[in-house]
Amino acid sequence: MSERGPNPAGSRKRPIKPLALDVRVPAQPLDYSVLIGRGVIERVGEEIRQRHGGAATVALVSDSNVAPLHGAAVRAALERSGLQVAPMTVPAGEASKSAAALLELTEQLLRAGIGRRDVVVALGGGVIGDLAGLAAALYMRGIPVVQCPTSLLAQVDASVGGKVAIDLPGAKNLLGVFHFPSVVLVDPDLLATLPEREFCAGLAEMLKHGALFSPEHFREVVEAADAIHARDFDTIARLLATSVGLKAACVGRDPWEQAEAGKGRVLLNLGHTLGHAIEVASSYQLVHGEAVALGMRAAARVAIGRGLAAPELEATIVAALARLRLPTDLDVWLTGDLGDAVERLLAHDKKRSGGQVSYVVIARLGEPSVISLHFRELMALARQGTTA
Ligand SMILES: NC(=O)c1ccc[n+]([C@@H]2O[C@H](COP(=O)([O-])OP(=O)(O)OC[C@H]3O[C@@H](n4cnc5c(N)ncnc54)[C@H](O)[C@@H]3O)[C@@H](O)[C@H]2O)c1
């Protein structure tokens, strides 16, 4: 990580504060930077100019919530660098990660005359990052994408690592590729307009990075809860830099997700196995980060049940989730009809592996590992301690 000073050319409209961290993400030979800092979005045009001298037009892809809030400022920043802008807006929400939306977007790229040397800018949450990233990967066999994440989840997680995908009916993220961004601009000030629930959901992924790789980061996030909820963007920028650094180091060790089981990107699935089943069982009434929060509590229970972690781990996770205003009531999702639904979903997910699950646990904060167990044992261990 290196610190960069303010950039005078980018400070015409809004002063860029000195905190702009450059986290290099190794992805040989496609290493890229994640620039993190308040106001960093102002220099999107310059960053494109530096990397893609031949670019004339930028396809500015956003969603129907984000475009009216931030589209004009980003467009102006691009135009200041002499780039033409073709704005493209898709309906907000996961439904836009569809084959139909992907095709429509690539046709819009064609109609806008986007060429091989032009650039796609993805301005939005994880949905836009994934959809626009995949469109860029496929269009003309691949043109550059610049990720400008606007949700906390996308800033701390989805925009870093190069995975882009759409959903197939009943199969999330199934149609995708790796398409590394040429640069990622993480501007915490964009979070000012993010709804509270989405904001908290992103905190779950931040906490996850601490739980996996850094007890200090975990504690720092919890201790900063009041400042975070007050949207103190200096504090948030600092925490984002650490959290992105942790994710970048993980994906940098395993850019193509091929590392030995238990070593690479698979660790980032902490809380996701059961979390995903809970998210689906809730009919998406829980947002992804909320389900991951419950999944992390379940992972603590499983680790304790297997004798891998001390009994205090669950309480540590629960206290952290509560401070961050994330749900902690796991039992309701493991018992009764909901519990049956979660178990059925897990069974369906693991059908191809004979019911075996590769499951990420932590022995203590900062000490992840992957265990293999049957989904029935997983459910039994997660249910330990439930009262029903
Ligand atoms: N590629 C990856 O590595 C990766 C990793 C994690 C998640 N994902 C994907 O990311 C998606 C979830 O991302 P998400 O939670 O950002 O969802 P999202 O893109 O749907 O954004 C959540 C909501 O917040 C709104 N929003 C975003 N930024 C805003 C802002 N600044 N102001 C106001 N509203 C704003 C959006 O319009 C949307 O309604 C899922 O599709 C998931 O599969 C991808």
Side-chain angles (χ1 to χ4, degrees):
M1 257 192 258
S2 64
E3 284 223 21
R4 288 194 177 189
N7 185 324
S11 62
R12 249 169 293 170
K13 249 190 120 189
R14 187 162 54 127
I16 295 176
K17 301 214 172 168
L19 178 73
L21 287 156
D22 180 350
V23 178
R24 280 304 280 179
V25 187
Q28 271 292 328
L30 303 167
D31 300 4
Y32 55 94
S33 283
V34 186
L35 304 182
I36 306 158
R38 299 190 61 180
V40 85
I41 195 74
E42 295 282 334
R43 55 184 199 222
V44 59
E46 295 154 52
E47 297 294 338
I48 290 174
R49 277 267 167 259
Q50 271 178 30
R51 290 166 176 79
H52 307 289
T57 307
V58 166
L60 178 58
V61 183
S62 195
D63 78 18
S64 50
N65 291 334
V66 176
L69 294 166
H70 302 291
V74 176
R75 181 178 187 153
L78 290 163
E79 287 175 346
R80 276 203 301 279
S81 293
L83 292 158
Q84 283 197 31
V85 179
M88 298 172 192
T89 303
V90 304
E94 183 75 21
S96 281
K97 276 177 55 173
S98 67
L102 175 69
L103 202 61
E104 166 61 25
L105 184 55
T106 49
E107 283 170 5
Q108 281 193 55
L109 295 174
L110 185 63
R111 285 198 295 273
I114 300 294
R116 253 176 235 295
R117 305 175 76 170
D118 293 329
V119 175
V120 169
V121 167
L123 176 72
V127 164
I128 289 300
D130 276 8
L131 174 71
L134 186 57
L138 297 175
Y139 185 73
M140 295 185 163
R141 298 193 183 79
I143 65 170
V145 64
V146 170
Q147 292 283 357
C148 299
T150 63
S151 69
L152 183 55
L153 183 139
Q155 293 195 342
V156 81
D157 188 13
S159 63
V160 180
K163 280 187 180 181
V164 292
I166 57 164
D167 305 330
L168 292 181
K172 201 167 146 59
N173 291 331
L174 200 80
L175 201 64
V177 296
F178 288 91
H179 188 52
F180 299 106
S182 46
V183 64
V184 184
L185 300 178
V186 173
D187 187 339
D189 283 1
L190 295 173
L191 303 173
T193 54
L194 188 68
E196 176 73 7
R197 208 167 157 200
E198 299 292 347
F199 182 74
C200 293
L203 292 173
E205 301 287 353
M206 201 181 242
L207 199 67
K208 183 192 79 178
H209 293 158
L212 283 170
F213 306 122
S214 165
E216 296 76 28
H217 182 55
F218 184 95
R219 282 185 210 107
E220 231 187 340
V221 173
V222 176
E223 280 161 18
D226 290 339
I228 292 171
H229 288 301
R231 305 221 188 173
D232 166 349
F233 291 119
D234 290 324
T235 300
I236 293 170
R238 193 167 46 75
L239 295 171
L240 270 171
T242 309
S243 213
V244 167
L246 293 170
K247 169 146 186 190
C250 177
V251 297
R253 284 191 293 271
D254 181 20
W256 309 96
E257 199 159 13
Q258 286 172 334
E260 205 182 310
K263 293 256 162 69
R265 292 174 84 128
V266 73
L267 295 174
L268 297 166
N269 287 338
L270 176 68
H272 283 60
T273 308
L274 217 74
H276 181 61
I278 291 174
E279 186 182 1
V280 178
S282 81
S283 306
Y284 297 93
Q285 294 306 299
L286 289 185
V287 298
H288 179 71
E290 293 171 337
V292 168
L294 295 171
M296 283 198 278
R297 179 173 189 178
R301 269 193 196 163
V302 172
I304 295 163
R306 273 287 189 104
L308 298 169
E312 298 77 52
L313 182 65
E314 186 177 355
T316 304
I317 299 284
V318 169
L321 297 176
R323 282 288 285 142
L324 297 174
R325 302 183 190 164
L326 283 160
T328 57
D329 189 0
L330 175 63
D331 296 353
V332 71
W333 298 100
L334 298 178
T335 52
D337 289 349
L338 285 171
D340 292 345
V342 168
E343 185 156 350
R344 267 197 309 277
L345 285 159
L346 210 54
H348 180 75
D349 249 21
K350 302 300 163 190
K351 208 167 47 191
R352 269 173 299 179
S353 53
Q356 282 300 119
V357 183
S358 285
Y359 190 69
V360 184
V361 290
I362 50 169
R364 57 170 72 91
L365 297 178
E367 275 183 39
S369 63
V370 179
I371 60 172
S372 179
L373 76 180
H374 195 273
F375 79 87
R376 283 206 192 85
E377 188 192 355
L378 167 52
M379 286 299 291
L381 290 171
R383 281 176 175 137
Q384 277 180 354
T386 57
T387 44

